[in-house]
Amino acid sequence: MRSDAQANRERVLAAADEVFREFGQAGSTEEVARRAGVGIGTVFRHFPAKRLLVDATIVRHFGLLTATARARAQAADAGEAFRTTFRELVSGAPAKLALIALREETGSTGDVEAAVAELREAVGAVLSRAQEAGEVRPDVTVAEVYLLITALANAPGDGPVVDKAVGVVLDGLSPNGLA
Amino acid sequence: MRSDAQANRERVLAAADEVFREFGQAGSTEEVARRAGVGIGTVFRHFPAKRLLVDATIVRHFGLLTATARARAQAADAGEAFRTTFRELVSGAPAKLALIALREETGSTGDVEAAVAELREAVGAVLSRAQEAGEVRPDVTVAEVYLLITALANAPGDGPVVDKAVGVVLDGLSPNGLA
DNA sequence: TGCATTCCGGAGTCGTCACTCCGTATGTTT
DNA sequence: AAACATACGGAGTGACGACTCCGGAATGCA
């Protein structure tokens, strides 16, 4: 692979991440090309169909999220690790991911499924540790936690309100919150 | 207004509700016409622009939700009223409302804002009563509750998982859950 | 029942977007 | 530096969707 090709591929992916996060699937390929500073032809050379571009963007994004979740898994305080991971995934470092919502509609190649599965697994690991440490109620499963994360991640609203809402949910997940 | 015109208007709105819930804003006007059993011309006669159709659909939908919320406000048990309303709005009778998400993107006429405000107000009433009865922690505001509802309403996932997640959130909202 | 008015239907228009094609440019190899 | 392979750019194509227009049907009133 030629060096300029590789560089362009990166730039396209970065631009796509930006555009899709802003407009969802409705974001046009042309806009992606414009922001990447390349011609449309180049975008299609790398990703022959729009879905492939979307999928690649999602995989890339989820890769980052999985990495941060895995990093937390090593922390000493299991409860704190869980809560931090939860917060990070909701509104955290790699920025808002309206992409999670996109996932649902994409017919998607297996890559996407795999990336999602990996993220779930990483979340599951952090969750299990926290539950074993008695920091999170034992009756919840990864499915529920993951659902709560995606729900909150896609929620519209101002920062402080979201933070507070997340706090409420975390209280509900704590062992004291057991009904 | 002629009687057939009024009947058609209803049918178009019902079809629009269905289509937009299924496809979001991407649902085509033609599909709405098809399901309503009328020609496209008729749809545009009643709603001269697509946004007006979307807005009218949202207003209609929110009207139903507000009505159910208000009905609950009279119930004897304030805590139970709150929890029931919460559940109803998340996954309840008038069906899933991906429409709430739509609201965010629509440039929207004032009607929509008004309908949303009314629903928030109704939720606020139920919430206040529950808080006064000591059934819901006093430090949460309507904004947060409303955000939690919209977040969960748009969450993808199977019924049981959603139910459980809602349960967790309600635990977090209970006075015991206070951190 | 007849007439005026309102409304309906759907073929046609215009713009947009995903995707193609190929002449030109850039990187790589010898 | 020449020659070859690989990429790039962006005008062009086809499909689709919002919206228009008007001939023909309902509807309601006298």
Side-chain angles (χ1 to χ4, degrees):
Chain A
M1 192 178 204
R2 246 168 64 175
S3 62
D4 56 343
Q6 191 151 6
N8 276 331
R9 191 192 160 88
E10 287 303 317
R11 295 208 293 180
V12 168
L13 273 177
D17 192 80
E18 195 181 306
V19 170
F20 292 145
R21 208 180 311 154
E22 191 168 338
F23 301 107
Q25 307 228 41
S28 73
T29 311
E30 204 163 340
E31 179 66 19
V32 172
R34 219 175 47 67
R35 295 205 195 182
V38 303
I40 308 189
T42 301
V43 175
F44 278 93
R45 157 168 289 271
H46 288 289
F47 307 96
K50 191 181 183 181
R51 178 180 305 172
L52 295 176
L53 176 56
V54 174
D55 281 5
T57 307
I58 296 177
V59 169
R60 179 169 173 272
H61 213 120
F62 273 60
L64 294 175
L65 295 174
T66 302
T68 69
R70 287 208 175 121
R72 294 288 167 208
Q74 314 301 336
D77 185 336
E80 202 50 39
F82 174 76
R83 288 186 288 274
T84 305
T85 302
F86 195 97
R87 287 203 137 90
E88 277 182 352
L89 290 182
V90 168
S91 60
K96 274 267 162 54
L97 40 151
L99 291 177
I100 289 187
L102 290 184
R103 194 199 75 78
E104 303 304 318
E105 293 150 39
T106 279
S108 71
T109 33
D111 313 357
V112 177
E113 305 304 333
V116 174
E118 267 185 70
L119 179 54
R120 280 179 94 114
E121 208 174 325
V123 171
V126 178
L127 173 63
S128 300
R129 280 218 325 155
Q131 285 175 320
E132 278 160 22
E135 294 266 6
V136 169
R137 53 197 268 186
D139 66 320
V140 297
T141 67
V142 206
E144 284 123 31
V145 170
Y146 191 79
L147 184 141
L148 285 168
I149 290 172
T150 60
L152 287 166
N154 292 314
D158 323 308
V161 177
V162 175
D163 285 350
K164 178 79 197 202
V166 171
V168 169
V169 172
L170 286 176
D171 288 345
L173 287 169
S174 76
N176 320 325
L178 257 170
Chain B
M1 191 178 204
R2 246 168 61 176
S3 63
D4 56 343
Q6 191 150 7
N8 276 331
R9 191 192 160 88
E10 287 303 318
R11 295 208 293 181
V12 168
L13 273 177
D17 193 78
E18 195 180 306
V19 170
F20 292 146
R21 209 180 309 154
E22 191 167 339
F23 301 107
Q25 306 229 42
S28 73
T29 311
E30 205 163 341
E31 179 66 18
V32 172
R34 219 174 49 67
R35 294 205 195 182
V38 304
I40 308 190
T42 302
V43 175
F44 278 94
R45 158 168 287 271
H46 288 290
F47 307 95
K50 190 180 184 182
R51 178 180 307 176
L52 295 176
L53 176 56
V54 174
D55 281 5
T57 307
I58 295 177
V59 169
R60 179 169 173 272
H61 212 122
F62 274 60
L64 294 174
L65 295 174
T66 302
T68 70
R70 287 208 175 121
R72 294 288 167 208
Q74 313 301 337
D77 184 334
E80 202 49 41
F82 174 76
R83 288 185 288 275
T84 305
T85 302
F86 195 97
R87 287 205 138 89
E88 277 182 353
L89 290 182
V90 168
S91 61
K96 274 267 161 57
L97 41 151
L99 291 177
I100 289 187
L102 291 184
R103 193 199 76 78
E104 303 303 320
E105 294 150 38
T106 279
S108 71
T109 33
D111 314 357
V112 176
E113 305 304 333
V116 173
E118 270 185 69
L119 179 54
R120 279 179 93 114
E121 207 175 324
V123 171
V126 178
L127 173 63
S128 300
R129 281 217 325 155
Q131 284 176 321
E132 278 160 23
E135 294 264 7
V136 169
R137 51 196 269 186
D139 66 320
V140 298
T141 67
V142 206
E144 284 123 31
V145 170
Y146 191 80
L147 183 141
L148 286 168
I149 290 173
T150 59
L152 287 166
N154 292 315
D158 324 307
V161 177
V162 175
D163 285 350
K164 177 80 196 199
V166 170
V168 169
V169 172
L170 286 176
D171 288 344
L173 286 168
S174 76
N176 320 326
L178 256 169

